[in-house]
Amino acid sequence: MKDFQYQALPMRVTFGSGSLKSLPDEVRSLGLQRVLVLSTSFQEDLAREVSEQLGELSAGVHPEAEMHVPVESAHRAREVAKAAGADGYVAVGGGSTTGLGKAIALEFGAPIIAVPTTYAGSEMTPIWGLTAEGEKKTGRDPKVLPTSVIYDPELTLTLPVGMSVTSGFNAIAHAVEALYAPDGSPIISLMAEEGIRALVDALPKIAENPADIEARSDALYGAWLCGATLGATTMSLHHKLCHTLGGTFNLPHAETHTVVLPYALAYNSAHVPDAIAALRRATGAQEPASYLRQLSLGLGAPASLRELGLTDNDVETVVEQATRNPYANPRPVTGDGIRALLTAALNGETV
């Protein structure tokens, strides 16, 4: 048993079908009086339903969350929150909406109640991200960690299968990196392994029957665990690459994680025997990187970064950014190594 430190994040979780109805009580229990409801434009109707449910507790709806949280979007949201006199925020949606709530909280420090409708996991972390001038910057600050999270599987029933799959692989990527993080622990590893197991079991069932509430519940449970492992550990090469691809080239977040995951895992596999052992238990596969690649393709996920919009001419930019101030990683991050990884992912080569 190696020496380790573990600190539980201060947050209350409410999990279960129909648990959205507890939102007004949650707002009152936090002593909040006017909460601004955040969403993307795509989920504005749901946000307005939530606002109506809150009644006088709602300070209105701001349906302008965007992928990768452009700094201009964050500034607009902060102005709206200030004008509305909001003393807290309800983030309804996925990582983009939670990320916008974090961007506001980073300045004002007001509580966030997250109501996830995807498997992104951002609601479980004190990690914020902002994109400015073509580069995504991230950081950690306890004041952006949501105070409460309401996991209602019924809210994921309308999540399209394609988005369910890529969102689920986004969550799996968090847990994979947590398994070999330099500040990991046996506790985090247990959560990561269980989260991956739950998701790889649930995602094929969701693809077959999107209305399977048990599978939706299992996937949301897995995403919760995977997100919690990201919140408790240091990110590595996989996340560095995805932050670069998203922030600089505006590649779609979950799809990028899905494509990059098996290649980043293969890059590190020989250097992380304990993580590979855990992944073999979670997936039942001898070669986890190849298994995750084939599973994602079998469920209809994108096959390459080229399919997402990256070009041959973009590779060197990514290599330069990924090797400049690299995240901690079990295998040394070299230009040649990253170039080979990216080229393989760009072309959808066999893992």
Side-chain angles (χ1 to χ4, degrees), residues 246-257:
T248 303
F249 299 100
N250 201 37
L251 266 60
H253 184 81
E255 291 87 342
T256 301
H257 276 277

Side-chain angles (χ1 to χ4, degrees), residues 8 20 67 73 82 98 136 144 147 172 176 180 184 190 213 223-224 275 280 295 300 312 314 317-318 339 347-348:
L20 180 62
M67 188 171 60
S73 174
K82 186 175 182 180
T98 305
K136 187 170 184 176
V144 309
T147 304
I172 290 170
V176 167
Y180 53 67
L190 283 170
I213 192 65
W224 169 14
R280 285 171 175 162
L295 179 63
D312 296 276
D314 299 328
T317 300
V318 183
R339 190 175 296 107
N347 296 317

Side-chain angles (χ1 to χ4, degrees), residues 165-287:
V165 169
T166 56
S167 178
F169 272 87
N170 184 7
I172 290 170
H174 302 332
V176 167
E177 289 222 308
L179 285 170
Y180 53 67
D183 50 358
S185 73
I187 309 305
I188 292 300
S189 293
L190 283 170
M191 297 169 69
E193 184 176 331
E194 171 66 0
I196 294 168
R197 182 208 61 75
L199 278 161
V200 299
D201 182 62
L203 291 176
K205 296 176 183 176
I206 291 170
E208 182 177 349
N209 177 15
D212 185 339
I213 192 65
E214 291 296 330
R216 290 289 189 179
S217 296
D218 289 346
L220 202 55
Y221 160 73
W224 169 14
L225 293 175
C226 292
T229 68
L230 174 67
T233 57
T234 299
M235 293 179 287
S236 297
L237 174 63
H238 170 91
H239 282 83
K240 178 69 173 183
L241 290 173
C242 291
H243 290 163
T244 301
L245 291 164
T248 303
F249 299 100
N250 201 37
L251 266 60
H253 184 81
E255 291 87 342
T256 301
H257 276 277
T258 303
V259 172
V260 170
L261 172 59
Y263 297 99
L265 177 56
Y267 182 90
N268 285 323
S269 286
H271 298 255
V272 290
D274 290 345
I276 294 300
L279 286 167
R280 285 171 175 162
R281 291 191 297 269
T283 64
Q286 187 65 21
E287 299 295 336

Side-chain angles (χ1 to χ4, degrees), residues 37-44 47-48 61-65 100:
V37 181
L38 308 173
S39 75
T40 61
S41 58
F42 177 74
Q43 293 190 296
E44 181 176 356
R48 295 204 177 278
V61 174
H62 182 68
E64 298 183 19
L100 182 60

